[in-house]
């Protein structure tokens, strides 16, 4: 049908899909599988609360230089003992909107929710074994009421989990006064910042808050990055001014690059890069002339069960880091934090040493026929 409608040959895409049943619940109108090249960055030493040891990080991308850059950052950090990383628990939000007849009705509904929280929590938790409702924050906007539900989602990324739980609460609410009289209802008001970078990112967590930092001795910076700590700190500072002027949420170099590649490799919901790919990178020179660098990723959404993590190749990528299955989501978040720091340092170093364009010219394009690398 597609061939007739489009005249495309589809010679690759028309190959039979291996085990098509594995994609049920992951995609509709399945016609094929797109192959994305997978590279390995590392070895990367990580001193985390959940992730401790040396890891090999799978990155699926078509951006030449990315795997090389993360590997370079990992190499220098590993030679300095690896970064210290901490990932908090995962908090995932869903924020339905109710429009009442008046501001007074919206305010009294907000009070009703606070007073009946225990009932709402049991309605939510009846839909899941691992999800826990932590709190509901009501916000009145004129005659509108937004209820921001915040859940812990275990080792799942949790978007389906929190949607099903919140939907159960909303159905229960809408059969009862004062919610049986709402003029308008929608399960998402856009205040949860699901798949959007917002100004709430740094204060209202959606996902795990991950911090990674490292001190790298001066001579290791000079040898590994072929540039001085002062230059790297200056590039980062100047880049922060640029982020301020251009209105970037946070200030960092390439969180989204590392995250998108890791997310494709490990079966995460890639579109959450919109909310996860923001944060802060700080690079400073210590009093001893060494380099101190840190990244803060305020909203890192990762799971090691559920979603696309079920697929065979993605499972193998998780296994590669010892992150497949229950009990591993914090570990994956910390490895991601360390990989992001590696990517930041490598990019900052290439800017400081003015080799950014050269590196992309050498590795970011296919070689011209007959050209030497
Ligand atoms: P999911 O695959 O829908 O649910 C996770 C499943 O894993 C649940 O059935 C959960 O059971 C089970 N589970 C087993 N062991 C677990 C453990 N240790 N910790 C947590 N759960 C465990 O995945 P999800 O993470 O909720 O949702 C992610 C998917 O939602 C992605 O595919 C994403 O693309 C999609 N998505 C959905 C929405 C939406 O609004 N619905 C929005 C964006 C993305 P229990 O629930 O019984 O605990």
């Amino acid at each position: 049908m597609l061939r007739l409608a489009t005249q495309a040959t589809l010679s690759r895409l028309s190959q039979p899909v291996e085990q098509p049943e594995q994609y049920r619940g992951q995609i509709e109108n399945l016609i094929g599988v797109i192959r994305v090249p997978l590279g390995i960055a590392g070895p990367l030493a990580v001193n985390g609360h959940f992730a401790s040891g040396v890891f090999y990080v799978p990155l699926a991308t078509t951006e030449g230089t990315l795997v090389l850059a993360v590997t370079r950052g990992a190499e220098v950090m590993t030679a300095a003992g690896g970064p210290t990383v901490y990932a908090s628990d995962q908090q995932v939000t869903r924020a339905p909107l109710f429009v009442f007849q008046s501001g007074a009705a919206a305010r009294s509904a907000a009070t009703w929710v606070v007073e009946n929280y225990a009932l709402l929590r049991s309605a939510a938790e009846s839909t899941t074994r691992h999800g826990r409702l932590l709190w509901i924050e009501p916000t009145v906007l004129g005659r509108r009421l937004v209820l921001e539900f915040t859940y812990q989602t275990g080792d799942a990324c949790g978007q389906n989990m929190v949607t099903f739980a919140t939907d159960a609460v909303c159905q229960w609410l809408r059969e009862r006064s004062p919610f049986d009289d709402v003029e308008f209802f929608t399960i998402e008001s856009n205040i949860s910042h699901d798949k959007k970078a917002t100004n709430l990112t740094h204060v209202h967590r959606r996902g795990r808050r991950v911090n990674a930092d490292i001190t790298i001795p001066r001579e290791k910076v000079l040898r590994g990055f072929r540039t001085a700590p002062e230059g790297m700190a200056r590039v980062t500072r100047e880049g922060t001014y640029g982020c301020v002027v251009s209105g970037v949420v946070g200030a960092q170099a390439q969180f989204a690059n590392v995250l998108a590649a890791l997310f494709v490799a490990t079966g995460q919901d890639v579109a959450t890069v919109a909310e996860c790919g923001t944060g802060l990178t700080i690079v400073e020179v210590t009093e001893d002339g060494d380099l101190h660098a840190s990244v803060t990723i305020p909203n890192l959404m990762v799971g090691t069960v559920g979603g696309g993590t079920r697929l065979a190749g993605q499972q193998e990528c998780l296994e590669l880091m010892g992150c497949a299955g229950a009990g591993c989501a914090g570990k994956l978040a910390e490895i991601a934090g360390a990989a992001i720091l590696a990517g930041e340092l490598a990019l900052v170093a290439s800017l400081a040493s003015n080799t950014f364009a050269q590196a992309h010219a050498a590795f970011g394009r296919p070689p011209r026929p007959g050209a030497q690398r």
Side-chain angles (χ1 to χ4, degrees):
M1 185 278 286
L2 277 178
R3 277 206 195 99
L4 285 176
T6 67
Q7 282 80 52
T9 53
L10 305 179
S11 55
R12 277 185 186 274
L13 289 181
S14 58
Q15 301 301 315
V17 176
E18 243 178 74
Q19 300 175 307
E21 62 287 350
Q22 69 174 309
Y23 297 103
R24 192 169 298 155
Q26 311 300 148
I27 192 155
E28 305 74 44
N29 299 349
L30 174 74
I31 65 149
V33 178
I34 286 290
R35 293 161 74 97
V36 181
L38 179 72
I40 297 295
L44 171 62
V46 181
N47 307 300
H49 180 70
F50 302 105
S52 186
V54 173
F55 298 94
Y56 294 89
V57 183
L59 298 175
T61 183
T62 53
E63 182 178 353
T65 69
L66 178 63
V67 177
L68 196 63
V70 180
T71 298
R72 187 179 187 207
E75 219 167 56
V76 180
M77 291 205 301
T78 301
T84 302
V85 193
Y86 180 74
S88 73
D89 62 334
Q90 175 123 318
Q91 292 179 5
V92 184
T93 51
R94 186 56 73 218
L97 166 76
F98 302 85
V99 182
F100 289 85
Q101 300 303 328
S102 67
R107 282 194 296 282
S108 86
T111 308
W112 191 93
V113 164
V114 173
E115 287 168 355
N116 290 280
Y117 173 72
L119 291 172
L120 273 56
R121 192 174 76 181
S122 45
E125 293 183 359
S126 68
T127 63
T128 169
R129 291 158 298 159
H130 299 85
R132 293 285 165 269
L133 179 61
L134 297 176
W135 59 77
I136 302 173
E137 191 178 325
T139 302
V140 175
L141 304 164
R143 63 190 182 100
R144 287 162 174 75
L145 173 65
V146 176
L147 297 178
E148 192 176 356
F149 288 68
T150 301
Y151 298 85
Q152 263 176 0
T153 59
D155 294 294
C157 200
Q159 297 101 323
N160 274 337
M161 192 186 279
V162 306
T163 299
F164 302 155
T166 307
D167 185 54
V169 177
C170 292
Q171 282 190 30
W172 186 87
L173 278 176
R174 294 187 67 205
E175 288 163 6
R176 284 164 179 77
S177 172
F179 287 86
D180 55 355
D181 193 27
V182 292
E183 176 191 304
F184 178 81
F185 160 76
T186 173
I187 195 164
E188 182 50 62
S189 60
N190 266 348
I191 288 184
S192 72
H193 57 108
D194 184 2
K195 295 182 180 166
K196 284 167 271 298
T198 75
N199 291 323
L200 293 177
T201 295
H202 287 266
V203 281
H204 248 201
R205 162 151 68 94
R206 189 169 198 277
R208 289 171 197 265
R209 177 171 290 260
V210 181
N211 273 290
D213 78 303
I214 187 167
T215 300
I216 307 177
R218 185 175 190 85
E219 65 287 358
K220 287 197 162 54
V221 175
L222 291 169
R223 198 172 333 123
F225 289 133
R226 298 195 198 118
T227 188
E230 289 77 8
M232 291 177 65
R234 180 74 191 254
V235 160
T236 311
R237 199 167 65 240
E238 300 297 340
T240 301
Y241 303 148
C243 286
V244 171
V245 168
S246 57
V248 172
V249 176
Q252 40 84 26
Q254 59 163 348
F255 285 15
N257 243 349
V258 177
L259 282 176
L262 181 65
F263 281 11
V264 172
T266 59
Q268 311 300 318
D269 183 338
V270 188
T272 62
V273 168
E275 66 200 280
C276 306
T278 70
L280 183 64
T281 298
I282 301 176
V283 176
E284 300 164 291
V285 184
T286 68
E287 285 182 0
D288 298 330
D290 299 330
L291 184 102
H292 185 268
S294 68
V295 288
T296 301
I297 307 129
N299 301 274
L300 185 56
M301 296 276 290
V302 288
T304 55
V305 301
T309 68
R310 296 187 186 98
L311 301 175
Q314 289 80 340
Q315 272 281 315
E316 286 187 7
C317 285
L318 289 166
E319 279 166 18
L320 188 71
M321 297 178 286
C323 288
C328 296
K331 184 176 179 185
L332 178 60
E334 290 183 346
I335 296 169
I340 285 174
L341 181 54
E344 292 295 280
L345 284 172
L347 178 49
V348 165
S350 79
L351 294 170
S353 60
N354 207 12
T355 53
F356 181 68
Q358 203 183 317
H360 280 81
F363 300 103
R365 271 186 182 168
R368 289 204 193 93
Q372 297 274 314
R373 257 213 175 154

